[in-house]
Each structure stands twice: as structure tokens, then as C-alpha cells.
Amino acid sequence: MSTFDAPPREQMKLLAISGSARRESVNTALLLALKDAAPAGVELSVFHRLDTLPVFSPDLEGERTPAEVLEFLQRVSACEGIIIASPEYVRAIPGGLKNAIDWMVSRFEVIGKPIALAHASHRGDDMLASLRLVLSTVSDRFRDDLFLRIPLIGKTPREIASIVMLPERQSEICDFLSAFVSAVRSR
């Protein structure tokens, strides 16, 4: 079989999770820019509806797991790597994101998945430190060395669209995605 006869490589599936439930979240906007810049052969989907997940309770596990949680966990299970972008709420991880993480670790879907962080603000270092600690506990493949920060806080959707299209920002986004895709493939 020659290289031309080799079966096509399957599409890599990545999941980007926004830690904000806000409709016009800058972190969601950053993840959507990553989706638009995903390299060929990579499908990046964005989950930005943490507000639909009920509060985690061990009493709701197993057959009692809510449908919204099962749908979210299916997305986690189907992906090969996760990128998280989150705001800082009172110097901490937003409750909705922590809740989603609690749902993930109560099962097996996230175990061993590569995870990296992106951040759409010039501030938020306390939350990022806490989130890094949580994610390094959740997955032995958390990639603290891969991080993308593009300050978008306070920008309008139109301004964000312009900023992420700047050549230097596109370069940062592409470099980040390329490094993360390589990390995912190095299983």
C-alpha cells in the first residue's frame, strides 16, 4: 500500500469549554476564534452552556443522571482533548465551571484527556492558579505548559472579531492549537 492508498486519518475532535454562562462572554468569543482557526483535520466544538447543568450531587449519578449532564459527558467522552477558557469570579473558579468539573470527575470520561487553558483577560491569575491545581488533579495529561492569553475583557463583539484576526493574534492562536494538537497526538 503506497502513501496515496493509506486510509485518511480520522478527524481529531477537540472540545472547548467556556467557564462563563454569559451570552457575550469574551472567553466564549476566544474559543469561537480557536474553532475558526482549527487546522485541517481538527474539529473543535465549543460548549458554552454551563448554566444548563444541574448542581452536582452523588445522589444524581448512575441511572439518575440528568439528560443535560449525560449530553455534556458524551461530548467529553467523544473528544480527544479539552481546552478551557474561563473568567475569574471573585478571584476564584466560576461555580458553573467547577460544577462541570465535578460532574466529569465523578465518572471516567475526562480521565487521561489532555487539557489546556486559554484566557481572555489580562487578569485572573488567582483563578488560573486554582484551576491549574484542579485540572492537574483531574487529568495526568493537563498541559500547564500550553497556555494562550489574549486580553479581550471589556471589548465589544465587533472589537473582539477584529482583535483575533490581527496577524500576531492569529499566529498566537495557530501556535497554541498546533502545540495542543501535537500534545493530543503524543498519547
Side-chain angles (χ1 to χ4, degrees), residues 18-60:
S18 175
S20 177
R22 190 171 152 230
R23 185 175 306 236
E24 293 194 5
S25 160
V26 294
N27 284 284
T28 302
L30 177 58
L31 295 176
L32 292 170
L34 292 177
K35 177 181 179 174
D36 291 343
V42 175
E43 176 189 326
L44 191 148
S45 66
V46 178
F47 181 81
H48 59 91
R49 293 303 315 268
L50 293 176
D51 58 325
T52 65
L53 301 177
V55 174
F56 171 74
S57 169
D59 292 337
L60 294 177

Side-chain angles (χ1 to χ4, degrees), residues 106-127:
S106 75
R107 299 173 46 113
F108 61 88
E109 286 86 355
V110 76
I111 307 290
K113 296 242 183 208
I115 302 173
L117 294 177
H119 193 60
S121 177
H122 61 285
R123 60 184 187 218
D125 291 336
D126 291 333
M127 180 280 302

Side-chain angles (χ1 to χ4, degrees), residues 22-185:
R22 190 171 152 230
R23 185 175 306 236
E24 293 194 5
S25 160
V26 294
N27 284 284
T28 302
L30 177 58
L31 295 176
L32 292 170
L34 292 177
K35 177 181 179 174
D36 291 343
V42 175
E43 176 189 326
L44 191 148
S45 66
V46 178
F47 181 81
H48 59 91
R49 293 303 315 268
L50 293 176
D51 58 325
T52 65
L53 301 177
V55 174
F56 171 74
S57 169
D59 292 337
L60 294 177
E61 292 184 294
E63 292 180 10
R64 300 169 84 191
T65 303
E68 302 87 355
V69 173
L70 291 173
E71 289 172 26
F72 171 67
L73 293 173
Q74 175 54 37
R75 290 181 78 171
V76 172
S77 181
C79 78
E80 297 174 61
I82 299 170
I83 298 169
I84 297 174
S86 180
E88 175 182 74
Y89 288 178
V90 195
R91 299 177 63 179
I93 301 169
L97 178 58
K98 180 63 171 71
N99 183 55
I101 293 169
D102 290 344
W103 277 112
M104 286 190 279
V105 299
S106 75
R107 299 173 46 113
F108 61 88
E109 286 86 355
V110 76
I111 307 290
K113 296 242 183 208
I115 302 173
L117 294 177
H119 193 60
S121 177
H122 61 285
R123 60 184 187 218
D125 291 336
D126 291 333
M127 180 280 302
L128 288 167
S130 181
L131 186 55
R132 284 180 172 110
L133 177 63
V134 168
L135 293 175
S136 66
T137 304
V138 167
S139 175
D140 61 351
R141 300 211 44 223
F142 171 62
R143 298 300 304 259
D144 191 28
D145 59 321
L146 299 178
F147 180 63
L148 173 68
R149 176 178 253 161
I150 299 179
L152 300 173
I153 197 163
K155 306 292 184 209
T156 67
R158 178 180 278 194
E159 290 171 323
I160 291 169
S162 296
I163 290 167
V164 298
M165 291 310 293
L166 292 170
E168 62 271 18
R169 295 304 187 193
Q170 282 294 297
S171 179
E172 289 175 66
I173 289 170
C174 289
D175 289 348
F176 171 76
L177 285 172
S178 177
F180 188 61
V181 166
S182 292
V184 171
R185 285 192 176 131

